[in-house]
Amino acid sequence: MNENIKTKAEVLHPREILAAATTHIITAVCAFIAARAPVMNLFAPFGIAFAAGMPTPYILTAGLGAAAGYFVPISEGSGFRYFAALFAVCTIRLLLGKIEGFEKKSFLFALISLASSLVTSLATIAGGSFSFAHAIIEAVLVASGCFFVHRCVSAYGKEPTGLNSEELACTIITINILLMGLYPLSVFGISIGRILAMVLIMAVARYSKSSGGAIAGCTTAFFIMLCGGDVSSAAIIFAVGGLLCGVFGALSKIVLAASFVVWCLIGAFFIAKDGAVFLLLSESA
């Protein structure tokens, strides 16, 4: 038995160990960022969703990263329910992870996360602004996010041009979930998350042409609106910008980038409100 253990240990190359450690670190960081993504200043469902959507070998790493993100609450609700839901998701996933074919069932992943979020939310409701309706909405967001994250992770390793339409949409949605956690991060009022969202839209439009640009623009606009606040003008600009990138995606990179920047400049002056003009101009530049 000792010889077998030694043989297996010798098979592990230092590069493989480093690659595995790097993957776990990236998983934890992404889960942390997802947990910091606010939804209407009431929910923070995507840390649970990200952890629930990861493969079983990474479930504990993702759970710890999300727990670290939830350590300082970013929403008005009780932060305890997120720790309880994370514990429930990780426990159930570890118990069911050895079942053959379980890892391929995105719907089951979503169902587990839905039940964990809903039950823990209902059990921890203690008056205040968080109600039964809020618990249902948050559980649906958790389940939806889990489904898209799992589909995205399942497509990992493929070339961007090799993704089908469903895999591309799930990948874009997962990236936008992570970008939501970066929207509050700003330098002199300029959102780092929105700048990266612009880069995402142009990159997707470049590789996937009109369909990818449209999906990226509309999806990014939706997640910007989920953040809450007065962001309707930015959402419109991103949605139409994605459509334009899709139109010009077949041309050169310069034309694609120029079309998006020009539209952002037009939108900043004619669509955005006075307080948002300078910020949108700075981010698009």
Side-chain angles (χ1 to χ4, degrees):
M1 182 175 179
N2 293 332
E3 293 179 356
N4 292 333
I5 296 175
K6 183 178 180 180
T7 302
K8 291 181 180 179
E10 290 175 350
V11 172
L12 294 177
H13 193 274
R15 291 183 179 179
E16 295 176 344
I17 297 176
L18 179 61
T22 303
T23 303
H24 279 279
I25 293 173
I26 293 174
T27 299
V29 172
C30 289
F32 176 87
I33 295 174
R36 305 300 298 170
V39 177
M40 307 299 292
N41 199 33
L42 285 174
F43 316 118
F46 294 123
I48 302 171
F50 189 89
M54 294 303 293
T56 301
Y58 299 96
I59 184 68
L60 289 180
T61 302
L64 290 174
Y70 286 133
F71 187 75
V72 178
I74 59 172
S75 62
E76 296 180 357
S78 172
F80 174 76
R81 72 176 185 272
Y82 296 120
F83 291 103
L86 272 175
F87 179 79
V89 165
C90 293
T91 302
I92 296 173
R93 282 288 313 282
L94 289 174
L95 291 175
L96 301 179
K98 294 183 179 180
I99 299 177
E100 185 177 356
F102 175 76
E103 293 289 337
K104 299 180 181 180
K105 305 295 184 181
S106 300
F107 178 76
L108 290 179
F109 280 46
L111 188 61
I112 291 172
S113 62
L114 173 71
S116 299
S117 176
L118 183 59
V119 171
T120 53
S121 293
L122 293 178
T124 55
I125 287 179
S129 60
F130 197 82
S131 64
F132 177 74
H134 289 148
I136 294 177
I137 294 172
E138 186 171 58
V140 171
L141 288 172
V142 169
S144 301
C146 171
F147 179 87
F148 292 124
V149 169
H150 182 255
R151 294 293 295 165
C152 172
V153 174
S154 299
Y156 176 75
K158 287 187 177 181
E159 294 293 331
T161 54
L163 298 176
N164 59 40
S165 58
E166 180 185 0
E167 292 169 341
L168 177 64
C170 292
T171 300
I172 294 173
I173 291 172
T174 301
I175 295 175
N176 270 294
I177 288 175
L178 298 178
L179 291 179
M180 276 190 71
L182 298 178
Y183 286 155
L185 182 63
S186 61
V187 178
F188 299 110
I190 300 174
S191 172
I192 304 299
R194 283 208 294 263
I195 293 175
L196 293 177
M198 293 180 184
V199 175
L200 171 67
I201 292 173
M202 290 186 285
V204 172
R206 176 62 180 171
Y207 286 103
S208 300
K209 305 301 184 288
S210 58
S211 60
I215 293 173
C218 294
T219 303
T220 301
F222 172 74
F223 277 94
I224 288 176
M225 296 186 69
L226 274 183
C227 291
D230 187 12
V231 293
S232 58
S233 57
I236 294 173
I237 290 173
F238 274 78
V240 179
L243 296 175
L244 287 176
C245 286
V247 172
F248 294 101
L251 303 178
S252 66
K253 297 178 181 179
I254 297 177
V255 175
L256 185 151
S259 66
F260 189 79
V261 172
V262 169
W263 165 246
C264 286
L265 295 177
I266 295 173
F269 280 110
F270 293 100
I271 300 178
K273 297 183 178 180
D274 295 338
V277 171
F278 175 75
L279 295 180
L280 288 171
L281 286 175
S282 302
E283 290 168 0
S284 62

